[in-house]
Amino acid sequence: MRAFSANLFALLFLCALTTVFYVWSALESRVERHKRGFSVPGAGAAHLGIPADLSAKTFRALLAVPAAQRPHLGGRLEAPNLTDQSAAAGNRDYHVNGDNKSPAPREGPVELSPPVEDGVFWSEWLEDLLPEGFTEEYARAWRETARTRRIVKLEPGCGRISNQLATFADGTKACVRYGINADQVQGETLTYYLASLLGITNLPPLALSQLNGDSEQWAAVRSRIGGLQWSDRAVVSLTEWVSNLTGVVTPAPLRQESSGLHPEPGQLWNKTTAELLELMQWSDLILFDYLTANFDRLVSNLFSLQWDSRVMERETNNLLKTPRGDLVFIDNEAGLVHGFRVLNMWEKYHNTVLTSVCVFRKRTMQRVEELHRRRDARRRLLELYRDSEPLSLELGFLSDEHAGVLQDRIDRVYKHMLHCKGKYSQL
């Protein structure tokens, strides 16, 4: 009887924490939107008849950390890096494809060319329309300059207070991720380099830096660093700030009332080209989040359906979009390291999301197949990471256990792709 009473009390306490965090997150979201002057895009909550301030988050942060740390939580994991239209004036169009003369996406439904080829692959004509994203050449150049640029200002603007929006001497900006613990910076960084291995170019460039108030890069903000109580010599990540981004709502085929994203004529053939291009990027995102066990995007929304039946109709966590429709995967700190630590808590939701997709980019499947066949994901990720980051030894790498988890998840994605190919190759 005593054990039953103790369990009942623990359950009631968790429910109370859930309610408090849910309400607090909604209020915090309202304040954040007010500060930024954020307007919901046409496909967002306003279009669905949902009040713009109803952007409640889950209590994913509460569940993701050890119980001893829970009282210290208070904010969202990350706020979108949104700015107004004028802030983007003069900015480069970061999504460029060659000479940037590719035609604008058609708005009418697909009538002539099928959107899928060889059963489960997005058609080549769609691949040709999708710009390259953050190319490796651009990312390499950005990393080289970001590591040496003088930082002249640190201010809130990248979500939780432990992260800061940095302004460089040349006026460009980056999000500085300090992280509550090393897992977050390590997860963000290794997730970025795994995306590079997979050929996924939706993540903004990232570079590591070491805090040092006496260095030329950090000297101008030495007092601010002290006020933030950041530890000297800590390794932080710098991620390029991209302005003029808006939120993204989960597309209808991936919501709970739908059967998923499958290569069936009735589902894809009536979509506009713009809709297909977005769905193509979502297919990459879902595979990527499964591989990294990132629970802080679509998976957390799926989890929230228990008490919020309309969560899928609001914006997806840590996912933004450019004016021309290109998706930007931000704030990946929950991936790999931390995501693997709490895998048992989220795995059934990861599996549900993965099996909802049976259409893939051919390049992505080829990369997954290669990593599956050679079984060298750990070695290749480590080599890329160490070759690209001078501070890789200071930050560290995946444990052997987590490297094994990554390889297992690559194998699982490959088997899922084969299952879909076998099911739909005759259509």
Side-chain angles (χ1 to χ4, degrees), residues 84-139:
D84 59 22
Q85 296 285 335
S86 61
N91 274 13
R92 65 185 178 90
D93 178 2
Y94 79 97
H95 268 68
V96 292
N97 187 4
D99 57 6
N100 203 27
K101 294 180 181 179
S102 57
R106 294 173 296 171
E107 292 303 324
V110 178
E111 297 177 354
L112 299 177
S113 303
V116 177
E117 62 188 28
D118 298 333
V120 295
F121 297 116
W122 294 106
S123 292
E124 186 175 350
W125 67 268
L126 276 172
E127 291 280 2
D128 291 340
L129 285 177
L130 188 67
E132 293 183 60
F134 299 96
T135 65
E136 178 52 36
E137 293 74 16
Y138 176 82

Side-chain angles (χ1 to χ4, degrees), residues 6 25 47 65 73 77 124 158 160 180 200 207 236 245 269 276 300 313 317 328 332 347 368 377 400 411 422:
S25 298
H47 177 72
V65 298
L73 295 172
L77 284 190
E124 186 175 350
C158 292
R160 64 173 63 184
I180 293 176
I200 296 175
V236 299
L245 303 178
W269 271 248
L276 290 171
S300 66
E313 299 173 7
N317 300 320
V328 183
N332 300 287
E347 184 67 331
V368 170
D400 290 343
D411 298 342

Side-chain angles (χ1 to χ4, degrees), residues 161-219:
I161 190 62
S162 62
N163 302 330
Q164 292 282 289
L165 178 63
T167 301
F168 293 109
D170 63 358
T172 58
K173 298 183 178 183
C175 277
V176 183
R177 183 178 308 284
Y178 178 78
I180 293 176
N181 55 54
D183 284 4
Q184 294 174 323
V185 177
Q186 193 180 80
E188 177 91 10
T189 304
L190 295 178
T191 295
Y192 173 78
Y193 285 107
L194 180 62
S196 297
L197 276 185
L198 295 169
I200 296 175
T201 58
N202 299 79
L203 284 70
L206 177 148
L208 296 179
S209 180
Q210 193 164 36
L211 296 177
N212 183 351
D214 296 326
S215 68
E216 183 178 357
Q217 181 169 39
W218 296 99

